[in-house]
Amino acid sequence: MKKIFERPQALTDKPMHYCPGCTHGIIHRLVAQAIDQLGVRTRTIGVGPVGCAVFAYEYFNCDMIQAAHGRAPAVATGVKRVHPDRVVFTYQGDGDLAAIGMAETVHAAARGEKFTTIFVNNAIYGMTGGQMAPTTLVGQKTTTTPYGRDAEETGEPIKVSELLSTIDRAVYVARVSVHNPRHVIQAGRAIRKAFEFQLRGLGFTMVEVLSTCPTNWGLSPLEALGWLEEKMLPVFPLGEFRKPAEEEAV
Ligand SMILES: Cc1ncc(C[n+]2csc(CCOP(=O)(O)OP(=O)(O)O)c2C)c(N)n1
Ligand code: SF4
């Protein structure tokens, strides 16, 4: 019988600990597929975050290193500068990247560090029990905004892709989503592109992936996919915000 679907080599066969319906697992798979397709598994080094993806090093079947809260871009900078021939990526949630790690991210992009960041935006702190994140929507209820996020008091959600797209040495910045199969396929393409541009040594690359947190959103897995589409897409529009000059011309 012809095999048409299998586990990417760049994933271990360890069962993931993510909650049912959480899309972290889909995003792991897309990253692993891109690594497989480019044939770079044995020369890839991933940097794990704090947050629900803290065990990423157990799931990616490549060399992995664990960073403290928000410091993944700083760690990736060191790894890539010491090993310029390796493919280096960070995998970070919105609490990790856009709260404590915002400075590391912006400055790594400004320096044009030649690694790829996979930024998982689920609009909430997942692992620590659902506190407000910098990406929490106005009106969204979290444990620290029980009446809904009030912009007067806690500001507006930070649009990380738009922000990074103003930086010249960020060569590829895209926002994708994984709330349905069509978008999962598009997300996979963007992640692969980011790795390709890294392999060409062009500069900093980031793919923001809109993701669900059914547990802390208080929704079923299916409702969470609908909430992402209905509530998150208007605030976080999808698209390629920055790409290399020759791609702009196409
Ligand atoms: C230095 C430090 N400060 C705070 C924490 C606590 N902490 C662990 S995970 C987390 C939030 C992670 O949220 P996010 O990055 O959005 O990832 P998610 O869990 O939603 O995937 C926090 C604040 C920590 N581990 N280390
Ligand atoms: S808490 Fe949220 S982000 Fe974390 S694994 Fe569960 S559903 Fe996913």
Side-chain angles (χ1 to χ4, degrees):
M1 192 187 290
K2 192 176 162 208
K3 197 185 261 187
I4 56 165
F5 195 73
E6 63 185 330
R7 177 184 293 276
Q9 285 208 332
L11 282 184
T12 64
D13 65 1
K14 193 175 166 76
M16 291 176 186
H17 72 287
Y18 298 114
C19 306
C22 175
T23 42
H24 261 303
I26 295 175
I27 302 165
H28 279 27
R29 181 184 176 84
L30 295 177
V31 173
Q33 270 175 342
I35 293 170
D36 277 11
Q37 285 164 2
L38 295 169
V40 294
R41 188 181 69 79
T42 56
R43 61 181 179 109
T44 295
I45 304 173
V47 186
V50 303
C52 285
V54 69
F55 296 130
Y57 54 79
E58 303 241 357
Y59 306 139
F60 287 111
N61 189 16
C62 60
D63 285 334
M64 293 292 293
I65 189 167
Q66 176 64 39
H69 198 306
R71 309 305 178 224
V75 173
T77 295
V79 171
K80 183 73 182 191
R81 286 188 176 202
V82 172
H83 298 290
D85 57 326
R86 301 299 175 99
V87 176
V88 177
F89 73 92
T90 70
Y91 186 102
Q92 301 173 262
D94 42 68
D96 185 278
L97 182 145
I100 199 168
M102 182 61 107
E104 276 75 3
T105 305
V106 169
H107 288 280
R111 296 190 305 269
E113 300 295 345
K114 297 177 178 61
F115 63 82
T116 299
T117 288
I118 308 299
F119 167 41
V120 181
N121 176 0
N122 59 13
I124 205 159
Y125 278 25
M127 185 202 218
T128 45
Q131 298 89 347
M132 190 195 88
T135 46
T136 294
L137 306 184
V138 172
Q140 185 182 339
K141 288 185 178 162
T142 69
T143 55
T144 46
T145 56
Y147 303 110
R149 182 176 188 171
D150 174 2
E152 280 301 316
E153 196 181 7
T154 52
E156 304 276 344
I158 294 179
K159 300 179 180 185
V160 174
S161 288
E162 285 85 340
L163 191 150
L164 291 185
S165 69
T166 64
I167 294 177
D168 289 343
R169 283 171 185 262
V171 299
Y172 186 66
V173 176
R175 184 185 288 121
V176 295
S177 178
V178 289
H179 65 282
N180 64 29
R182 181 166 69 89
H183 284 92
V184 169
I185 291 167
Q186 285 171 358
R189 280 200 203 111
I191 291 171
R192 183 179 162 153
K193 264 192 190 183
F195 281 125
E196 279 170 352
F197 296 140
Q198 178 184 163
L199 280 164
R200 285 168 51 194
L202 297 184
F204 180 79
T205 51
M206 186 196 74
V207 179
E208 173 177 348
V209 189
L210 302 185
S211 186
T212 64
C213 180
T215 301
N216 288 300
W217 292 356
L219 300 173
S220 72
L222 202 56
E223 287 167 344
L225 294 171
W227 193 88
L228 189 167
E229 183 171 22
E230 190 191 328
K231 307 282 189 192
M232 286 181 79
L233 290 188
V235 179
F236 300 115
L238 307 183
E240 292 178 311
F241 293 84
R242 212 175 163 94
K243 46 190 179 174
E246 75 268 19
E247 281 239 332
E248 297 285 358
V250 178

